[in-house]
């Protein structure tokens, strides 16, 4: 079992509102490079979606649950079929019927991640990523870095965050962005 973090980031490490769906002043920065920059399996998830589980925070899940059920194609079919866990502080306000195979995570996110027998893929959901970082549970980062500098917003690796040693597995240009895969360095 591995925990894999997926994220759109700017060159300066900002993850805030890449699609503009959160309505922030600088949001939508990833889409300024065109829809093809973010569509499809840019993160090379492939069979991980078939055999693993997606873990979302409530806000990210709500955004995705409005977008993905109506999409078509092989990648959309995998995303829609994948099991989805939703971590929410307000579970009664989350209608998991809006996106197939979704359920509210019972209990603690860290405990659930530690005991999940399948690969766990966290897409966006920065609050969850930070909790997993603090416990040194993230095995791999797959980051699609766009040639944009925002200067402000929520950073993937915040100042004062936990120390981590990473090993670069690959870097590949994907349209206007670069897909970089890092894993936790062996200790």
């Amino acid at each position: 079992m591995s925990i894999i973090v997926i994220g759109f980031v700017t060159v300066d490490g900002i993850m805030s509102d890449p699609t503009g769906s959160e309505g922030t002043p600088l949001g939508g920065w990833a889409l300024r490079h065109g829809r093809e920059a973010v569509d499809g399996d840019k993160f090379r998830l492939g069979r991980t979606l078939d055999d693993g589980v997606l873990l979302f925070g409530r806000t990210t899940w709500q955004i995705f649950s409005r977008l993905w059920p109506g999409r078509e194609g092989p990648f959309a079919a995998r995303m829609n079929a994948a099991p989805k866990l939703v971590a929410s502080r307000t579970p009664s306000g989350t209608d998991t019927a809006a996106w197939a195979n979704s359920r509210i995570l019972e209990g603690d996110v860290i405990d659930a991640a530690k005991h999940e027998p399948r690969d766990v893929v966290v897409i966006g959901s920065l609050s969850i990523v930070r909790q997993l970082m603090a416990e040194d549970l993230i095995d791999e980062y797959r980051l699609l870095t766009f040639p944009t500098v925002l200067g402000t917003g929520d950073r993937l690796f915040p100042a004062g965050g936990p120390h981590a040693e990473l090993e670069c597995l690959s870097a590949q240009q994907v349209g206007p962005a670069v897909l970089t895969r890092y894993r936790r360095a062996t200790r």
Side-chain angles (χ1 to χ4, degrees):
M1 185 279 298
S2 294
I3 297 177
I4 303 166
V5 168
I6 301 297
F8 293 142
V9 297
T10 62
V11 171
D12 57 340
I14 305 297
M15 283 185 70
S16 302
D17 203 7
T19 62
S21 54
E22 296 173 48
T24 63
L26 296 175
W29 48 268
L31 294 179
R32 290 187 197 109
H33 298 279
R35 283 252 29 118
E36 64 280 352
V38 297
D39 285 344
D41 190 5
K42 298 291 191 246
F43 294 101
R44 314 290 191 256
L45 291 171
R47 295 214 40 89
T48 304
L49 286 177
D50 300 335
D51 302 329
V53 61
L54 299 173
L55 173 59
F56 292 98
R58 181 188 47 80
T59 302
T60 303
W61 181 88
Q62 287 175 331
I63 292 166
F64 277 52
S65 71
R66 289 189 298 267
L67 299 172
W68 283 98
R71 291 189 177 175
E72 296 179 1
F75 182 65
R78 278 183 157 156
M79 283 289 288
N80 290 322
K84 299 157 198 76
L85 298 175
V86 184
S88 177
R89 290 183 197 97
T90 56
S92 62
T94 305
D95 177 16
T96 57
W99 194 13
N101 304 310
S102 296
R103 69 178 175 87
I104 298 294
L105 177 69
E106 301 285 331
D108 179 64
V109 170
I110 298 302
D111 190 51
K114 283 180 179 178
H115 294 97
E116 177 59 51
R118 301 168 286 188
D119 286 340
V120 176
V121 178
V122 182
I123 302 175
S125 304
L126 197 52
S127 64
I128 301 237
V129 170
R130 294 228 175 111
Q131 290 177 59
L132 296 169
M133 272 183 191
E135 298 293 324
D136 194 25
L137 293 176
I138 299 170
D139 298 295
E140 184 177 339
Y141 293 89
R142 294 184 190 181
L143 306 176
L144 197 58
T145 305
F146 286 82
T148 299
V149 175
L150 294 178
T152 186
D154 292 325
R155 295 182 190 284
L156 174 59
F157 301 104
H163 175 83
E165 295 291 335
L166 304 174
E167 174 185 353
C168 183
L169 298 175
S170 64
Q172 173 186 10
Q173 185 159 358
V174 180
V178 175
L179 173 63
T180 311
R181 291 180 57 206
Y182 299 95
R183 75 173 166 209
R184 183 176 9 176
T186 54
R187 297 171 228 197

